[in-house]
Amino acid sequence: MSVVLKHFFRVPTSHFGPRIARCYSTKLVPVPLAYASYEKLYKSCNDSTNNPMIVMHGLFGAKGNWNSLCKAMHAKTNPSKRIISVDARNHGESPHTPTHSYELMAEDIVELLRTLEIKKAILVGHSMGGRCMAYVALKYPHLVEKLIVVDITPVPGLKLGTSQTDIPFFLQAMKSIKIPADQTIHQGRKFADAELSKIIAEKSLRDFLITNLMKEDSDGEFRWRINIEALEQNFESSIMNFPPVDGLRYEGKTLFIGGEMSDYIKKQDFPKIQELFPNSELTYVKGAGHWVHSQKPNEFLELVLNFIKS
């Protein structure tokens, strides 16, 4: 019998609003991440020889985006692996903080492994989550069995694709939307879609952003689950740039999966990637853009399962 166990860090309602405490620190203080665990109620899914898989979404995402794939990965691994999908800090049900960087996000993952008493795991991350997991592998290679990075380049100093330069405009647009409190969540989402359509032509992208919209039971106000102010303030300095790695390398097996129609990971950058991840391979999914796992789930799942078995 398989079960999905959800664990939430309860954030005070005010943390979902525009106000956040301006308490900056140079210390890498981890936060307890909310997560969903896909597992079986018998030992073979959780024994020390069958390392679990930890999955992190990309910017604007949440653990729920991976629900179907996590169920499939759990069901199709033999023996069944425990799959743990997390909400990154400032996303989903995880705590909001004024700081947001790959160094901090890596410490969040390490803290999760410590809390769950996981000695080693397969790490999977998409976009921002891919960079986070790559940094964990570089800094804490003893914790990582294998690494899968989806449609992102985790190398310091490399220029990002042109599509990523639009992200600050998305954040500004989301922050500027003021939805009347008397509207239902359905009406509020239609209102937000109409406002976002003024700058974002792609309906699927608008729909994805609007998954973060919520209506509070306590006061009926509309808020965003993501911490827009923190993401906006840290985008140029931290999210857009992979941090210095000071000669670190991850020697374990690594799979980079790119979308054929995406510009987030370029073939010409692969030699630089291999300097940090020498035991890596790069493959592209035909017809997929940046959201490879949702646009081509069957092809993505096959790549992941074959890599795990190899």
Side-chain angles (χ1 to χ4, degrees):
M1 178 180 179
S2 298
V3 295
V4 181
L5 304 176
K6 294 186 178 180
H7 301 261
F8 301 108
F9 179 90
R10 292 300 177 188
V11 184
T13 298
S14 61
H15 284 207
F16 287 113
R19 293 176 295 175
I20 55 176
R22 297 189 179 278
C23 179
Y24 296 87
S25 171
T26 56
K27 292 182 65 177
L28 297 177
V29 180
V31 299
L33 300 179
Y35 65 91
S37 184
Y38 304 76
E39 55 191 85
K40 285 190 181 296
L41 297 179
Y42 56 80
K43 185 178 179 181
S44 65
C45 182
N46 300 299
D47 64 36
S48 59
T49 63
N50 187 21
N51 294 321
M53 178 186 294
I54 315 293
V55 180
M56 181 180 280
H57 58 81
L59 188 66
F60 302 115
K63 60 183 180 298
N65 302 147
W66 285 78
N67 182 51
S68 296
L69 272 172
C70 286
K71 287 181 179 179
M73 289 187 289
H74 170 64
K76 292 180 180 295
T77 47
N78 186 21
S80 297
K81 277 192 177 298
R82 183 185 185 188
I83 313 293
I84 300 170
S85 181
V86 304
D87 281 335
R89 66 167 58 208
N90 294 315
H91 290 73
E93 296 286 344
S94 285
H96 286 190
T97 69
T99 48
H100 193 96
S101 69
Y102 295 114
E103 296 95 329
L104 283 165
M105 294 168 68
E107 296 303 318
D108 296 340
I109 292 295
V110 172
E111 178 66 12
L112 178 70
L113 296 177
R114 185 196 65 78
T115 301
L116 299 180
E117 299 182 342
I118 296 172
K119 295 182 178 179
K120 184 170 282 194
I122 297 173
L123 301 186
V124 181
H126 170 245
S127 196
M128 177 191 72
R131 283 187 162 180
C132 167
M133 296 308 206
Y135 193 78
V136 174
L138 289 168
K139 191 173 182 181
Y140 302 101
H142 62 286
L143 297 177
V144 184
E145 178 188 343
K146 291 181 179 180
L147 172 67
I148 301 175
V149 178
V150 186
D151 210 58
I152 198 70
T153 301
V155 175
L158 288 183
K159 291 184 177 181
L160 299 183
T162 54
S163 58
Q164 295 162 83
T165 59
D166 293 332
I167 292 174
F169 297 106
F170 302 162
L171 289 165
Q172 291 169 18
M174 294 168 74
K175 187 169 65 172
S176 67
I177 295 173
K178 306 297 180 186
I179 305 173
D182 61 353
Q183 297 201 359
T184 65
I185 184 65
H186 177 70
Q187 292 170 330
R189 286 172 176 161
K190 287 187 67 175
F191 184 97
D193 181 67
E195 292 297 303
L196 290 175
S197 68
K198 296 175 182 178
I199 67 164
I200 302 173
E202 188 179 347
K203 182 64 165 63
S204 61
L205 176 55
R206 300 199 305 271
D207 290 342
F208 174 63
L209 297 177
I210 290 171
T211 60
N212 288 287
L213 188 66
M214 60 179 291
K215 185 177 175 69
E216 291 287 357
D217 293 332
S218 57
D219 57 11
E221 294 292 329
F222 285 91
R223 294 182 175 87
W224 297 99
R225 286 190 186 276
I226 59 171
N227 189 343
I228 293 180
E229 183 174 339
L231 297 177
E232 189 175 38
Q233 290 176 352
N234 293 283
F235 181 75
E236 293 288 342
S237 60
S238 298
I239 300 173
M240 195 168 180
N241 298 297
F242 195 67
V245 292
D246 300 324
L248 298 175
R249 283 158 61 100
Y250 174 64
E251 305 281 353
K253 288 186 177 181
T254 305
L255 174 64
F256 288 87
I257 302 175
E260 179 190 39
M261 302 171 67
S262 171
D263 63 354
Y264 278 62
I265 181 167
K266 307 180 184 70
K267 289 181 180 179
Q268 61 265 33
D269 292 338
F270 192 53
K272 289 288 185 181
I273 292 173
Q274 287 188 303
E275 292 177 11
L276 299 179
F277 305 92
N279 195 10
S280 63
E281 57 184 290
L282 169 63
T283 185
Y284 287 91
V285 176
K286 290 184 178 180
H290 181 53
W291 284 274
V292 185
H293 55 288
S294 61
Q295 294 167 335
K296 298 289 182 177
N298 294 330
E299 293 86 340
F300 177 82
L301 180 62
E302 183 179 3
L303 287 171
V304 170
L305 294 175
N306 287 340
F307 179 70
I308 291 173
K309 293 175 185 176
S310 66

